[in-house]
Amino acid sequence: MKTLNIYLKTTSGTKVDKLLSFGKGAEKHGIKVNYCEDSFFTPSDYSYIFAYKSDDINSKSHNLRQEIVDKKIDKQIFFLDSNVLGHYEKEKNIQNVYRRYPYRSIHSHEADFLPVDETSFKRTNQVKKDLGLQIKDWRKTGDHILLCLNRGSGGFSSFGTGCYEWAREVIQRIRLYSDRKIIIRSHKHFIKTDKLIQDMKNLEWILSNIKNVEHTTIEKTNLLDDLKNAWACVTYTSTAGAVALMEGIPVFVTHPSCFYRMYGSGDLGQIENPKIPNRDMFMTYYVNAHWSLQEVEDGHYWEKFRQYRMEVE
C-alpha cells in the first residue's frame, strides 16, 4: 500500500482544509494517508505540502516546507499552489475553488503535471463555467505596454531577482523596439525588507530616466482596468499574464518557470509584431494542472494520477 504524508503544519487556519481535501481523495484510491501534525519530516512514498518556502521568511511553516523538499530526495512531492486564473474566481463555494497541483517541483518548468487526454477536453467546459471564463478575441490595437511585477525578491517564484531590478532591465530592452507608454504594475509588498528597499531604487531610476513610464500598484488599480487598451503585457512569472491571455492581449514572458510561458508571443524584440498562440491548447494545459477542491476530495485527481503516474513509478 502506498503512503502519503500530508504536512498540516506547512500552513495554518482554514488553509489546512485544502490539505485535508487532498488526503480524502487519496484514501478513496487505497492510499494510506498520514495527517502529520508534527513539524518534522518522516519517510513515506509521497509527501504533500502547502506552497513552498519564500526566501525571506523563516517561520516554522516555511522552514518545514524547505526541510521536506530537501529530505524527499525522490521528489515524489505534491505542492498546493495558486490558481493562475484566480482573478476570475469568486470564492462563494469553497468546494468550487480551483488550485494548482504541481508534482515533483513547485516551479512549472520542472513540475510534472498530468497529461492531456479525453478527460481534459471534457473538463474544459466545466472549468470555464465554474470560473466564468471567456476567451476573448485577440486585440489588434492598444496604446500601452503593461509590466506585471512579481511580489519581490523574497518570493519563491522570483529566484532571487528583485522585481524593480527586473523592470529596469526589461524596460530598457523594450525601448530598443517600442516607444509606447509603459505602465509598471507592482505587486503588494507584505514585508519591506532591506533588500526590497534597496531594489526600489531601481523604480526611482526608471521614473527619473525613462520617458513615458507610469507606475501603479494592485492596491490602487484593478488588473482588468490596467489591461484596458493595452497593446501587450510583459511578465516575469506573475499569474497576471494568464489573465491577459484570456483577455486577448499578447503576453511576453522572460522567465522559463512561468506557468504559461509556452503560450507567450515571442521575445521582447517581437513586441511590435507579436506571435499569436493557440489558447485552446492553453486551456487543456490549464485544466490538467488545476482542480477544484471538490474534484480532489472526490478522488478524481487521484484517479488520473494513478493511471498516468503511480503505475509507472
Side-chain angles (χ1 to χ4, degrees):
M1 178 182 291
K2 295 287 187 178
T3 57
L4 167 67
N5 283 0
I6 296 182
Y7 292 91
L8 304 181
K9 294 295 185 180
T10 54
T11 189
S12 60
T14 59
K15 295 177 181 178
V16 172
D17 293 339
K18 297 179 176 65
L19 300 182
L20 297 176
S21 292
F22 196 74
K24 292 176 182 178
E27 289 171 334
K28 287 181 170 63
H29 290 275
I31 310 297
K32 171 60 178 175
V33 180
N34 304 309
Y35 297 94
C36 305
E37 298 193 27
D38 297 318
S39 295
F40 54 84
F41 170 82
T42 54
S44 62
D45 292 307
Y46 300 102
S47 297
Y48 181 45
I49 67 174
F50 187 91
Y52 195 67
K53 184 185 183 302
S54 294
D55 292 342
D56 294 340
I57 299 178
N58 290 303
S59 66
K60 289 183 178 180
S61 62
H62 279 249
N63 288 337
L64 176 58
R65 298 173 194 177
Q66 188 65 60
E67 178 186 353
I68 294 163
V69 170
D70 290 343
K71 293 185 177 179
K72 195 79 171 77
I73 57 176
D74 60 9
K75 296 185 178 181
Q76 290 180 317
I77 306 175
F78 300 93
F79 301 83
L80 180 63
D81 204 358
S82 63
N83 179 359
V84 300
L85 294 177
H87 186 85
Y88 298 105
E89 202 160 49
K90 307 292 188 298
E91 296 192 17
K92 295 178 181 179
N93 182 350
I94 189 66
Q95 292 303 98
N96 287 333
V97 169
Y98 282 80
R99 290 293 178 263
R100 202 177 347 160
Y101 291 86
Y103 176 56
R104 296 190 178 278
S105 174
I106 191 72
H107 303 300
S108 293
H109 66 314
E110 300 171 340
D112 194 358
F113 293 113
L114 294 176
V116 174
D117 64 7
E118 185 178 329
T119 65
S120 309
F121 300 101
K122 291 180 179 179
R123 285 186 65 237
T124 297
N125 288 335
Q126 184 61 50
V127 173
K128 285 182 178 180
K129 180 180 178 181
D130 288 346
L131 297 179
L133 298 178
Q134 178 185 2
I135 301 178
K136 297 183 180 178
D137 292 340
W138 283 108
R139 187 173 300 173
K140 297 180 180 180
T141 60
D143 291 334
H144 67 274
I145 298 168
L146 181 67
L147 264 63
C148 292
L149 275 55
N150 282 55
R151 182 169 290 130
S153 59
F156 61 77
S157 60
S158 296
F159 296 91
T161 299
C163 57
Y164 299 112
E165 172 191 356
W166 171 81
R168 178 172 173 170
E169 177 184 347
V170 165
I171 288 174
Q172 290 181 88
R173 288 168 60 192
I174 290 173
R175 280 291 178 255
L176 297 175
Y177 311 106
S178 176
D179 59 1
R180 294 179 190 267
K181 180 172 74 174
I182 296 173
I183 299 178
I184 302 171
R185 178 180 170 85
S186 291
H187 204 291
K188 184 175 182 179
H189 303 305
F190 292 106
I191 302 174
K192 280 198 173 184
T193 62
D194 291 341
K195 186 185 297 185
L196 176 60
I197 293 171
Q198 184 68 25
D199 187 34
M200 292 181 77
K201 293 180 180 178
N202 286 304
L203 176 61
E204 296 173 5
W205 184 92
I206 294 168
L207 297 176
S208 298
N209 292 276
I210 308 294
K211 294 180 180 180
N212 206 16
V213 177
E214 297 179 3
H215 176 242
T216 188
T217 70
I218 64 173
E219 294 107 328
K220 292 180 180 179
T221 55
N222 181 276
L223 174 59
L224 293 180
D225 288 337
D226 287 341
L227 288 171
K228 286 179 180 177
N229 205 35
W231 169 256
C233 177
V234 183
T235 70
Y236 184 72
T237 60
S238 171
T239 58
V243 177
L245 274 180
M246 299 301 291
E247 296 296 315
I249 301 165
V251 176
F252 293 83
V253 177
T254 69
H255 196 280
S257 74
C258 182
F259 177 79
Y260 48 87
R261 67 196 182 282
M262 66 284 286
Y263 301 98
S265 288
D267 59 41
L268 290 175
Q270 297 169 281
I271 201 158
E272 288 295 330
N273 187 29
K275 295 189 298 184
I276 303 301
N278 185 337
R279 288 174 296 168
D280 290 334
M281 293 304 298
F282 166 71
M283 285 305 304
T284 56
Y285 170 61
Y286 169 85
V287 301
N288 280 311
H290 293 77
W291 299 75
S292 72
L293 293 184
Q294 188 66 62
E295 288 177 313
V296 169
E297 189 168 315
D298 287 346
H300 297 313
Y301 173 87
W302 275 94
E303 180 180 6
K304 191 166 184 176
F305 181 82
R306 283 182 64 91
Q307 178 183 358
Y308 289 104
R309 296 290 181 263
M310 188 181 297
E311 293 180 2
V312 299
E313 290 181 338

